[in-house]
mmCIF file of all heavy atoms in Angstrom:
data_model
loop_
_atom_site.group_PDB
_atom_site.id
_atom_site.type_symbol
_atom_site.label_atom_id
_atom_site.label_comp_id
_atom_site.label_asym_id
_atom_site.label_seq_id
_atom_site.Cartn_x
_atom_site.Cartn_y
_atom_site.Cartn_z
ATOM 1 N N LEU A 1 -61.285 25.381 6.683
ATOM 2 C CA LEU A 1 -60.595 25.046 5.433
ATOM 3 C C LEU A 1 -61.574 24.828 4.276
ATOM 4 O O LEU A 1 -61.205 24.970 3.113
ATOM 5 C CB LEU A 1 -59.743 23.783 5.613
ATOM 6 C CG LEU A 1 -58.646 23.848 6.667
ATOM 7 C CD1 LEU A 1 -58.009 22.474 6.855
ATOM 8 C CD2 LEU A 1 -57.602 24.888 6.302
ATOM 9 N N TYR A 2 -62.806 24.489 4.601
ATOM 10 C CA TYR A 2 -63.809 24.182 3.582
ATOM 11 C C TYR A 2 -64.817 25.312 3.358
ATOM 12 O O TYR A 2 -65.727 25.179 2.556
ATOM 13 C CB TYR A 2 -64.572 22.911 3.975
ATOM 14 C CG TYR A 2 -63.724 21.669 3.902
ATOM 15 C CD1 TYR A 2 -63.124 21.153 5.037
ATOM 16 C CD2 TYR A 2 -63.527 21.010 2.693
ATOM 17 C CE1 TYR A 2 -62.344 20.006 4.978
ATOM 18 C CE2 TYR A 2 -62.746 19.863 2.619
ATOM 19 C CZ TYR A 2 -62.165 19.370 3.765
ATOM 20 O OH TYR A 2 -61.387 18.238 3.698
ATOM 21 N N LYS A 3 -64.664 26.426 4.063
ATOM 22 C CA LYS A 3 -65.635 27.527 3.975
ATOM 23 C C LYS A 3 -65.777 28.095 2.566
ATOM 24 O O LYS A 3 -66.827 28.606 2.209
ATOM 25 C CB LYS A 3 -65.255 28.656 4.941
ATOM 26 C CG LYS A 3 -65.378 28.280 6.394
ATOM 27 C CD LYS A 3 -66.804 28.284 6.856
ATOM 28 C CE LYS A 3 -66.825 28.069 8.354
ATOM 29 N NZ LYS A 3 -68.073 27.651 8.868
ATOM 30 N N THR A 4 -64.731 28.005 1.759
ATOM 31 C CA THR A 4 -64.777 28.607 0.420
ATOM 32 C C THR A 4 -65.515 27.739 -0.596
ATOM 33 O O THR A 4 -65.814 28.200 -1.689
ATOM 34 C CB THR A 4 -63.351 28.877 -0.109
ATOM 35 O OG1 THR A 4 -62.640 27.632 -0.180
ATOM 36 C CG2 THR A 4 -62.618 29.838 0.805
ATOM 37 N N ILE A 5 -65.814 26.499 -0.246
ATOM 38 C CA ILE A 5 -66.532 25.619 -1.176
ATOM 39 C C ILE A 5 -68.018 25.919 -1.071
ATOM 40 O O ILE A 5 -68.626 25.781 -0.013
ATOM 41 C CB ILE A 5 -66.250 24.135 -0.871
ATOM 42 C CG1 ILE A 5 -64.757 23.844 -0.974
ATOM 43 C CG2 ILE A 5 -67.030 23.238 -1.819
ATOM 44 C CD1 ILE A 5 -64.378 22.442 -0.585
ATOM 45 N N GLU A 6 -68.602 26.318 -2.191
ATOM 46 C CA GLU A 6 -70.024 26.676 -2.201
ATOM 47 C C GLU A 6 -70.896 25.429 -2.238
ATOM 48 O O GLU A 6 -70.498 24.378 -2.735
ATOM 49 C CB GLU A 6 -70.323 27.551 -3.423
ATOM 50 C CG GLU A 6 -69.624 28.892 -3.377
ATOM 51 C CD GLU A 6 -69.932 29.741 -4.584
ATOM 52 O OE1 GLU A 6 -70.852 29.409 -5.342
ATOM 53 O OE2 GLU A 6 -69.238 30.748 -4.767
ATOM 54 N N ASN A 7 -72.113 25.562 -1.739
ATOM 55 C CA ASN A 7 -73.119 24.506 -1.768
ATOM 56 C C ASN A 7 -72.650 23.223 -1.074
ATOM 57 O O ASN A 7 -72.961 22.127 -1.532
ATOM 58 C CB ASN A 7 -73.545 24.196 -3.207
ATOM 59 C CG ASN A 7 -74.097 25.419 -3.901
ATOM 60 O OD1 ASN A 7 -74.829 26.199 -3.311
ATOM 61 N ND2 ASN A 7 -73.724 25.609 -5.148
ATOM 62 N N THR A 8 -71.898 23.382 -0.013
ATOM 63 C CA THR A 8 -71.420 22.235 0.755
ATOM 64 C C THR A 8 -71.939 22.335 2.178
ATOM 65 O O THR A 8 -71.823 23.380 2.813
ATOM 66 C CB THR A 8 -69.874 22.195 0.770
ATOM 67 O OG1 THR A 8 -69.406 22.063 -0.562
ATOM 68 C CG2 THR A 8 -69.364 21.036 1.597
ATOM 69 N N THR A 9 -72.512 21.267 2.643
ATOM 70 C CA THR A 9 -72.987 21.199 4.022
ATOM 71 C C THR A 9 -71.882 20.604 4.880
ATOM 72 O O THR A 9 -71.345 19.548 4.556
ATOM 73 C CB THR A 9 -74.243 20.316 4.110
ATOM 74 O OG1 THR A 9 -75.244 20.855 3.254
ATOM 75 C CG2 THR A 9 -74.761 20.250 5.537
ATOM 76 N N ILE A 10 -71.539 21.290 5.954
ATOM 77 C CA ILE A 10 -70.529 20.795 6.886
ATOM 78 C C ILE A 10 -71.248 20.320 8.142
ATOM 79 O O ILE A 10 -72.005 21.075 8.759
ATOM 80 C CB ILE A 10 -69.490 21.890 7.221
ATOM 81 C CG1 ILE A 10 -68.761 22.327 5.946
ATOM 82 C CG2 ILE A 10 -68.505 21.378 8.259
ATOM 83 C CD1 ILE A 10 -67.809 23.487 6.134
ATOM 84 N N ILE A 11 -71.033 19.051 8.480
ATOM 85 C CA ILE A 11 -71.750 18.410 9.570
ATOM 86 C C ILE A 11 -70.759 17.973 10.643
ATOM 87 O O ILE A 11 -69.761 17.328 10.328
ATOM 88 C CB ILE A 11 -72.524 17.183 9.056
ATOM 89 C CG1 ILE A 11 -73.463 17.586 7.906
ATOM 90 C CG2 ILE A 11 -73.292 16.498 10.183
ATOM 91 C CD1 ILE A 11 -73.986 16.422 7.107
ATOM 92 N N ASN A 12 -71.042 18.309 11.898
ATOM 93 C CA ASN A 12 -70.198 17.865 13.011
ATOM 94 C C ASN A 12 -70.958 16.834 13.822
ATOM 95 O O ASN A 12 -72.065 17.074 14.275
ATOM 96 C CB ASN A 12 -69.803 19.063 13.877
ATOM 97 C CG ASN A 12 -68.822 18.698 14.979
ATOM 98 O OD1 ASN A 12 -68.882 19.239 16.065
ATOM 99 N ND2 ASN A 12 -67.905 17.803 14.714
ATOM 100 N N VAL A 13 -70.347 15.662 13.952
ATOM 101 C CA VAL A 13 -70.917 14.576 14.742
ATOM 102 C C VAL A 13 -69.796 13.951 15.570
ATOM 103 O O VAL A 13 -68.633 14.309 15.422
ATOM 104 C CB VAL A 13 -71.573 13.496 13.844
ATOM 105 C CG1 VAL A 13 -72.759 14.060 13.088
ATOM 106 C CG2 VAL A 13 -70.557 12.911 12.872
ATOM 107 N N ARG A 14 -70.144 13.012 16.419
ATOM 108 C CA ARG A 14 -69.120 12.262 17.146
ATOM 109 C C ARG A 14 -68.388 11.328 16.188
ATOM 110 O O ARG A 14 -68.903 10.987 15.130
ATOM 111 C CB ARG A 14 -69.761 11.457 18.274
ATOM 112 C CG ARG A 14 -70.233 12.348 19.391
ATOM 113 C CD ARG A 14 -70.737 11.514 20.537
ATOM 114 N NE ARG A 14 -72.110 11.940 20.764
ATOM 115 C CZ ARG A 14 -73.037 11.198 21.321
ATOM 116 N NH1 ARG A 14 -72.778 9.980 21.699
ATOM 117 N NH2 ARG A 14 -74.234 11.677 21.510
ATOM 118 N N GLN A 15 -67.200 10.882 16.579
ATOM 119 C CA GLN A 15 -66.382 10.043 15.701
ATOM 120 C C GLN A 15 -67.117 8.768 15.289
ATOM 121 O O GLN A 15 -67.126 8.404 14.111
ATOM 122 C CB GLN A 15 -65.052 9.667 16.367
ATOM 123 C CG GLN A 15 -64.166 10.852 16.655
ATOM 124 C CD GLN A 15 -63.783 10.890 18.115
ATOM 125 O OE1 GLN A 15 -64.632 10.817 18.991
ATOM 126 N NE2 GLN A 15 -62.490 11.007 18.389
ATOM 127 N N ALA A 16 -67.739 8.086 16.234
ATOM 128 C CA ALA A 16 -68.434 6.834 15.920
ATOM 129 C C ALA A 16 -69.575 7.084 14.936
ATOM 130 O O ALA A 16 -69.815 6.279 14.032
ATOM 131 C CB ALA A 16 -68.953 6.178 17.192
ATOM 132 N N SER A 17 -70.269 8.198 15.087
ATOM 133 C CA SER A 17 -71.362 8.531 14.170
ATOM 134 C C SER A 17 -70.830 8.779 12.768
ATOM 135 O O SER A 17 -71.461 8.398 11.776
ATOM 136 C CB SER A 17 -72.109 9.768 14.660
ATOM 137 O OG SER A 17 -72.697 9.519 15.916
ATOM 138 N N SER A 18 -69.680 9.400 12.668
ATOM 139 C CA SER A 18 -69.058 9.643 11.376
ATOM 140 C C SER A 18 -68.670 8.321 10.712
ATOM 141 O O SER A 18 -68.934 8.108 9.534
ATOM 142 C CB SER A 18 -67.823 10.532 11.556
ATOM 143 O OG SER A 18 -67.176 10.735 10.330
ATOM 144 N N GLU A 19 -68.049 7.442 11.485
ATOM 145 C CA GLU A 19 -67.650 6.138 10.949
ATOM 146 C C GLU A 19 -68.870 5.343 10.500
ATOM 147 O O GLU A 19 -68.886 4.756 9.420
ATOM 148 C CB GLU A 19 -66.855 5.356 11.997
ATOM 149 C CG GLU A 19 -65.524 5.975 12.341
ATOM 150 C CD GLU A 19 -64.870 5.419 13.591
ATOM 151 O OE1 GLU A 19 -65.530 4.691 14.369
ATOM 152 O OE2 GLU A 19 -63.677 5.708 13.796
ATOM 153 N N LEU A 20 -69.909 5.337 11.315
ATOM 154 C CA LEU A 20 -71.118 4.592 11.002
ATOM 155 C C LEU A 20 -71.888 5.231 9.848
ATOM 156 O O LEU A 20 -72.457 4.529 9.007
ATOM 157 C CB LEU A 20 -72.007 4.494 12.242
ATOM 158 C CG LEU A 20 -73.183 3.537 12.177
ATOM 159 C CD1 LEU A 20 -72.709 2.124 11.868
ATOM 160 C CD2 LEU A 20 -73.943 3.553 13.492
ATOM 161 N N GLY A 21 -71.888 6.543 9.774
ATOM 162 C CA GLY A 21 -72.581 7.243 8.691
ATOM 163 C C GLY A 21 -72.057 6.852 7.326
ATOM 164 O O GLY A 21 -72.821 6.705 6.365
ATOM 165 N N LYS A 22 -70.754 6.680 7.212
ATOM 166 C CA LYS A 22 -70.162 6.262 5.937
ATOM 167 C C LYS A 22 -70.625 4.854 5.581
ATOM 168 O O LYS A 22 -70.976 4.573 4.431
ATOM 169 C CB LYS A 22 -68.631 6.338 6.034
ATOM 170 C CG LYS A 22 -67.917 5.801 4.826
ATOM 171 C CD LYS A 22 -68.261 6.553 3.557
ATOM 172 C CE LYS A 22 -67.525 5.921 2.399
ATOM 173 N NZ LYS A 22 -67.385 6.716 1.253
ATOM 174 N N LEU A 23 -70.674 3.959 6.563
ATOM 175 C CA LEU A 23 -71.156 2.604 6.301
ATOM 176 C C LEU A 23 -72.631 2.614 5.904
ATOM 177 O O LEU A 23 -73.048 1.876 5.012
ATOM 178 C CB LEU A 23 -70.929 1.719 7.523
ATOM 179 C CG LEU A 23 -69.463 1.477 7.897
ATOM 180 C CD1 LEU A 23 -69.364 0.689 9.195
ATOM 181 C CD2 LEU A 23 -68.740 0.759 6.786
ATOM 182 N N PHE A 24 -73.437 3.462 6.570
ATOM 183 C CA PHE A 24 -74.846 3.598 6.201
ATOM 184 C C PHE A 24 -74.984 4.080 4.758
ATOM 185 O O PHE A 24 -75.815 3.597 4.003
ATOM 186 C CB PHE A 24 -75.569 4.575 7.129
ATOM 187 C CG PHE A 24 -75.948 4.023 8.462
ATOM 188 C CD1 PHE A 24 -76.322 4.882 9.472
ATOM 189 C CD2 PHE A 24 -75.938 2.669 8.729
ATOM 190 C CE1 PHE A 24 -76.682 4.395 10.737
ATOM 191 C CE2 PHE A 24 -76.294 2.167 9.976
ATOM 192 C CZ PHE A 24 -76.680 3.037 10.976
ATOM 193 N N SER A 25 -74.179 5.063 4.396
ATOM 194 C CA SER A 25 -74.216 5.600 3.037
ATOM 195 C C SER A 25 -73.900 4.516 2.013
ATOM 196 O O SER A 25 -74.586 4.390 0.985
ATOM 197 C CB SER A 25 -73.222 6.763 2.911
ATOM 198 O OG SER A 25 -73.202 7.263 1.605
ATOM 199 N N ASN A 26 -72.870 3.725 2.283
ATOM 200 C CA ASN A 26 -72.516 2.625 1.379
ATOM 201 C C ASN A 26 -73.633 1.589 1.307
ATOM 202 O O ASN A 26 -73.946 1.071 0.229
ATOM 203 C CB ASN A 26 -71.218 1.961 1.833
ATOM 204 C CG ASN A 26 -70.000 2.822 1.582
ATOM 205 O OD1 ASN A 26 -70.076 3.859 0.944
ATOM 206 N ND2 ASN A 26 -68.869 2.408 2.121
ATOM 207 N N ALA A 27 -74.248 1.288 2.445
ATOM 208 C CA ALA A 27 -75.332 0.305 2.474
ATOM 209 C C ALA A 27 -76.543 0.804 1.686
ATOM 210 O O ALA A 27 -77.177 0.030 0.949
ATOM 211 C CB ALA A 27 -75.730 -0.003 3.916
ATOM 212 N N MET A 28 -76.855 2.096 1.819
ATOM 213 C CA MET A 28 -77.991 2.657 1.075
ATOM 214 C C MET A 28 -77.739 2.598 -0.426
ATOM 215 O O MET A 28 -78.643 2.268 -1.208
ATOM 216 C CB MET A 28 -78.257 4.102 1.523
ATOM 217 C CG MET A 28 -78.776 4.219 2.935
ATOM 218 S SD MET A 28 -80.417 3.493 3.145
ATOM 219 C CE MET A 28 -81.391 4.571 2.126
#
């Protein structure tokens, strides 16, 4: 669904990593 968006990195991780990654981003 996102293939048409240019200059976008699509990352696949486990669910917990995704949840934690958002918290890390907010903390940074």
Side-chain angles (χ1 to χ4, degrees):
L1 300 173
Y2 291 97
K3 293 283 187 198
T4 60
I5 301 175
E6 295 180 12
N7 302 319
T8 299
T9 302
I10 299 175
I11 304 165
N12 185 216
V13 296
R14 289 185 237 155
Q15 297 125 309
S17 298
S18 178
E19 294 166 348
L20 191 58
K22 174 61 181 199
L23 295 175
F24 282 165
S25 178
N26 288 352
M28 292 294 294

